[in-house]
Amino acid sequence: MKSLVAIAQEELSKVNKALEKNERNLANLRNVPPSNLRAIKKGMTYQYYLKTSEDKQSRYLKKSERHLAENRAQLDYELNIQRVLKNQQKILNNLISRYNENSVEDTYRCLCEGRKNIVQPIQMPIEQYIYEWKKSYEVNKNSIPMKVQYETVNGEMIRSKYEEAPLNIKVVAAKIAEYL
């Protein structure tokens, strides 16, 4: 399972790519004059009105001037998206830098042994979990009777040759590591 930080990093990568695309789009729209755009629905279509800083009233855009409305609407959209993406980028960077996946376990680990003995942790530390798991699956506590037994290099009795090979490899690897 992926950690929250890994997911946040993937999401941050997507946000950064979107910001790059947004910057390119804004560069293409840099010549759009500052103005306000209004869209009013008339019947089945929309009519667009543009008001620049020099105009006192909004000016109706003819069909031939529709590109002015498209450019202004796209620019407004890109500016809004840029604000949203930068906010997401800031939040994700903050999460990545501040989030500690092990903070609950670390709080328990920092306790002295006397307190650990009397405290019931909310989340069992991984070391304790491994210990409990190994304790529940101790060797020779399997309830299924062994009909055929094989002996490993270590002298352990196992049920099948499929279990034997990995165990022998581990023992041989450990012996080789001793000599190196």
Side-chain angles (χ1 to χ4, degrees):
M1 188 167 124
K2 286 186 180 179
S3 70
L4 182 60
V5 173
I7 293 169
Q9 287 172 335
E10 287 177 11
E11 198 61 32
L12 180 62
S13 175
K14 291 177 188 176
V15 168
N16 288 335
K17 286 179 184 176
L19 268 170
E20 289 173 12
K21 184 175 182 179
N22 177 260
E23 292 295 331
R24 287 192 303 271
N25 291 347
L26 284 172
N28 291 339
L29 296 168
R30 68 180 173 271
N31 295 330
V32 175
S35 58
N36 292 330
L37 177 68
R38 288 185 334 176
I40 299 173
K41 187 166 185 170
K42 291 281 184 165
M44 299 296 285
T45 64
Y46 284 93
Q47 292 180 345
Y48 298 99
Y49 295 85
L50 198 65
K51 182 177 180 181
T52 61
S53 56
E54 300 106 29
D55 297 333
K56 291 182 181 178
Q57 285 188 319
S58 297
R59 180 174 65 90
Y60 171 75
L61 295 176
K62 300 175 189 169
K63 219 174 201 181
S64 61
E65 298 175 310
R66 185 178 170 110
H67 69 280
L68 297 172
E70 290 170 355
N71 288 343
R72 184 71 231 173
Q74 189 65 39
L75 180 62
D76 291 342
Y77 171 78
E78 294 294 341
L79 291 171
N80 286 335
I81 286 296
Q82 183 183 44
R83 183 180 42 80
V84 168
L85 289 173
K86 285 187 176 184
N87 189 36
Q88 284 182 341
Q89 184 183 45
K90 180 181 171 183
I91 291 169
L92 289 168
N93 280 327
N94 198 9
L95 172 71
I96 291 167
S97 66
R98 291 185 177 194
Y99 185 73
N100 180 3
E101 294 175 357
N102 300 319
S103 60
V104 173
E105 287 182 15
D106 291 345
T107 303
Y108 180 75
R109 279 191 198 106
C110 290
L111 294 176
C112 68
E113 286 302 317
R115 287 183 183 245
K116 284 182 184 178
N117 290 337
I118 59 174
V119 169
Q120 293 294 320
I122 290 175
Q123 182 178 349
M124 188 183 302
I126 190 69
E127 298 87 10
Q128 182 70 23
Y129 178 79
I130 291 170
Y131 173 75
E132 296 291 330
W133 183 81
K134 282 184 176 180
K135 197 165 106 177
S136 67
Y137 292 102
E138 286 186 35
V139 179
N140 298 329
K141 286 203 173 183
N142 197 331
S143 61
I144 301 171
M146 285 195 200
K147 292 180 181 171
V148 179
Q149 295 181 355
Y150 298 95
E151 190 173 346
T152 65
V153 177
N154 262 0
E156 296 176 30
M157 298 306 286
I158 56 172
R159 297 170 186 278
S160 70
K161 290 183 179 181
Y162 290 110
E163 293 179 46
E164 182 181 23
L167 291 173
N168 286 341
I169 290 172
K170 287 180 185 176
V171 171
V172 171
K175 287 182 180 179
I176 291 172
E178 287 177 13
Y179 294 114
L180 295 179

